[in-house]
């Protein structure tokens, strides 16, 4: 098999983590042009580092959203009235 026969994500190449305006993220080979509407958020780095960044960034955002929701529920005067 020739290296050119490999799928783009099977190549040993630097990657980027891209994000669009809706917050969707994608692992993207650096050698490919960044598509319109997408912005690099991390990289270039190897695939494993980009995947780790995606995982930890997602966990951090989830924790922040959970904390924000919990804080909103504990604000005085926002409790539901008993029926």
């Amino acid at each position: 098999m020739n290296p050119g026969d490999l799928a783009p994500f099977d190549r040993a190449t630097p990657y980027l983590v891209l994000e669009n305006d809706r917050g969707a993220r994608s692992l993207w080979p650096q050698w490919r042009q960044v598509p319109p509407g997408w912005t690099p958020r991390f990289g270039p780095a190897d695939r494993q580092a980009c995947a780790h960044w995606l995982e930890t960034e997602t966990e951090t955002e989830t924790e922040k959203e959970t904390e924000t929701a919990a804080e909103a529920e504990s604000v005085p005067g926002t409790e539901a009235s008993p029926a």
Side-chain angles (χ1 to χ4, degrees), residues 1-79:
M1 177 186 301
N2 295 324
D5 295 339
L6 295 174
F9 290 96
D10 292 337
R11 296 179 184 173
T13 185
Y15 287 87
L16 301 169
V17 176
L18 305 181
E19 184 174 55
N20 68 14
D21 59 350
R22 294 182 178 173
R25 294 191 177 127
S26 180
L27 188 61
W28 198 255
Q30 182 186 17
W31 60 269
R32 299 222 32 198
Q33 183 175 358
V34 174
W38 291 82
T39 303
R41 297 283 290 144
F42 179 80
D46 64 37
R47 184 182 171 117
Q48 183 177 1
C50 287
H52 178 74
W53 186 89
L54 275 169
E55 182 179 317
T56 56
E57 187 68 15
T58 301
E59 288 173 1
T60 301
E61 288 177 354
T62 301
E63 289 171 6
K64 287 179 183 176
E65 289 171 3
T66 302
E67 290 172 5
T68 301
E71 289 171 4
E73 292 176 2
S74 66
V75 173
T78 60
E79 300 86 13

